[in-house]
Amino acid sequence: MTDSTTSSAPLFGGAVSVADGRVQVRDAAALQSAHLDALVHQAVFGATEGERDYARWLIWQIGQAVGVRAASIHDLYIARGEGKCGGFTVPAINVRALAYDTARSIFRTAKQMDAGAFILEIARSEIAYTEQRPAEYVAVMLAAALREGFRGPVFIQGDHFQVNHKKYAVDPVTEVNAVKALVTEAVAAGFYNIDVDTSTLVDLSKATLAEQQRLNYEVCVDITRFVRDAEPNGVTISIGGEIGEVGTENSTPAELEAFMDGFNSTLAAQAPGTAGLSKISVQSGTSHGGVVLADGSIADVALDLDTLGTLSKMARDRYQMAGAVQHGASTLPDTAFNNFPRVETAEIHLATNFQNIMYDHIPASLREEIYAWLDVNAKDERKEKDSNEQFYYKTRKKAIGPFKKKLWALPAEVRNALGAAYDAKFTFLFTQLGIGGTRQYVEQFVKVPELHRPLPDGASTVVAAPDDADLSD
């Protein structure tokens, strides 16, 4: 899809035109068509970098024109910390595989339920193994919203922008700079929500909680300041911190206090007046992907709702944040989800179950091909006591990138069945989490500036920032 960029160039059957680097949308209804499907396919699989860059630019500019814009949820979260809204839990959905189809289902459901408070996210590790750089991810998420006729802010988040503690121990400067490089790339793409995860640096061997959390909050302040310096005009990026690594011991009020007091005092000393955190991630009994039993089923989770409720209240009352964030929630039983808004959990992260649904729907022949690929390419991750079910369950996320093109090319009947399954799951989750009708709060508190981008001039010279597929997500 190539068009003149210096004179009027009709697209979408004449409904969209590009002239002198500006985009005009004459008929927004035309965006909900196969024309958009072709454009997003070019943004992901274009033959050249120039083709991909142009498609991504066009999607961004169309979004600016019709009101589908990447945005920060910061002001909504601060309003919640001030008691101006509540009673819902924001789902942060890690869109790993079949990103366009999955996101279309999310926006389709949100539109039907008048939901506005939801986040689309991808972790540092996921960027690596799903082969979705930030610029591609943003383009696909915005395109999905446009395709479904959704209007409003689109909250795209960098999940677990995490410091690898082993690499930090060897060379702390290089490892922190790797996270900063990813921040630069992500913010430039439109990630205006970032979860900084330095909880890997908590040192439980220290005598006091303040000393245990010191490296965590000091490095988090360093990265927070870097994020603030990268913000575009008119945007205050929503930044989250983390006090307990998911899958370890449950967090406590004293740990939250030690981290937040240290973080706030350090930030105020280094950069007075700089906006701080809007939320805090804690551990309350879950683990990423769940604990896989030998038969491939998931072990029951001892979710500590009292901890979540207590820490959320403390985060709001004492630190004026939205509340606590729960990671690793997607494999919880269905009966658990209505408890999150009841205890005023600010946000929960959902990932693995959507991947599971996809694997349940793809043709058996493709699943077997993927598992055969894992036998060769992920063999080093197989533990001696792993059953086949455990091994494939834990490693099959690593096949998403290498099989991306095949997954996007699944037959229409398979994708339609998968879309229906996603619609049902997202409708259930959005209902349980109480986000139906939250568009009103987004419209009240979130103001999204119009941010235009210059037309790409040839191939990009930006080097992709480093990522790390071995991190948790």
Side-chain angles (χ1 to χ4, degrees), residues 238-260:
S238 174
I239 303 176
E242 187 158 341
I243 61 171
E245 191 169 1
V246 177
T248 58
E249 295 297 318
N250 287 1
S251 303
T252 67
E255 288 173 333
L256 176 59
E257 181 180 47
F259 175 85
M260 286 306 305

Side-chain angles (χ1 to χ4, degrees), residues 190-441:
F191 282 53
Y192 299 152
N193 310 273
I194 293 177
D195 280 354
V196 177
D197 183 5
T198 50
S199 66
T200 53
L201 304 180
V202 172
D203 187 350
L204 297 179
S205 70
K206 300 294 185 182
T208 68
L209 288 174
E211 286 302 313
Q212 290 174 13
Q213 292 287 339
R214 179 178 299 279
L215 201 54
N216 182 12
Y217 69 69
E218 287 181 344
V219 178
C220 188
V221 166
D222 180 26
I223 296 173
T224 295
R225 292 182 61 190
F226 187 86
V227 172
R228 294 281 174 243
D229 288 341
E231 290 171 339
N233 291 335
V235 176
T236 301
I237 290 174
S238 174
I239 303 176
E242 187 158 341
I243 61 171
E245 191 169 1
V246 177
T248 58
E249 295 297 318
N250 287 1
S251 303
T252 67
E255 288 173 333
L256 176 59
E257 181 180 47
F259 175 85
M260 286 306 305
D261 286 352
F263 178 93
N264 285 343
S265 62
T266 302
L267 182 63
Q270 292 183 6
T274 299
L277 304 179
S278 63
K279 58 183 177 177
I280 187 75
S281 293
V282 302
Q283 166 60 6
S284 62
T286 63
S287 60
H288 288 302
V291 176
V292 192
L293 302 177
D295 63 357
S297 63
I298 305 300
D300 292 337
V301 177
L303 180 64
D304 189 345
L305 289 166
D306 290 338
T307 290
L308 269 178
T310 298
L311 296 179
S312 276
K313 188 175 190 302
M314 184 177 180
R316 290 190 303 275
D317 293 351
R318 181 162 179 172
Y319 300 105
Q320 290 73 57
M321 297 187 292
V325 177
Q326 175 65 63
H327 288 259
S330 71
T331 54
L332 290 172
D334 285 348
T335 54
F337 289 98
N338 66 345
N339 290 308
F340 291 110
R342 181 175 62 80
V343 299
E344 292 288 349
T345 307
E347 180 181 307
I348 64 169
H349 289 219
L350 304 164
T352 303
N353 196 37
F354 309 120
Q355 173 185 290
N356 295 346
I357 292 171
M358 183 201 73
Y359 271 109
D360 287 343
H361 279 79
I362 63 176
S365 58
L366 178 57
R367 188 165 52 249
E368 290 166 4
E369 182 182 354
I370 288 173
Y371 287 178
W373 183 91
L374 291 170
D375 286 336
V376 175
N377 293 277
K379 61 183 179 182
D380 292 342
E381 298 183 43
R382 185 189 282 272
K383 296 181 179 178
E384 186 176 348
K385 294 183 179 180
D386 277 351
S387 66
N388 281 338
E389 288 79 6
Q390 286 173 312
F391 169 69
Y392 294 135
Y393 184 92
K394 289 187 294 184
T395 59
R396 60 188 183 176
K397 65 184 183 181
K398 300 293 182 69
I400 290 172
F403 284 84
K404 180 167 65 173
K405 200 160 190 176
K406 286 191 174 183
L407 291 170
W408 277 58
L410 284 170
E413 62 271 19
V414 175
R415 292 168 53 219
N416 290 339
L418 181 56
Y422 278 153
D423 287 355
K425 178 57 71 173
F426 288 127
T427 299
F428 171 80
L429 290 170
F430 287 11
T431 301
Q432 296 298 302
L433 298 174
I435 67 162
T438 53
R439 173 183 290 274
Q440 62 175 316
Y441 300 125

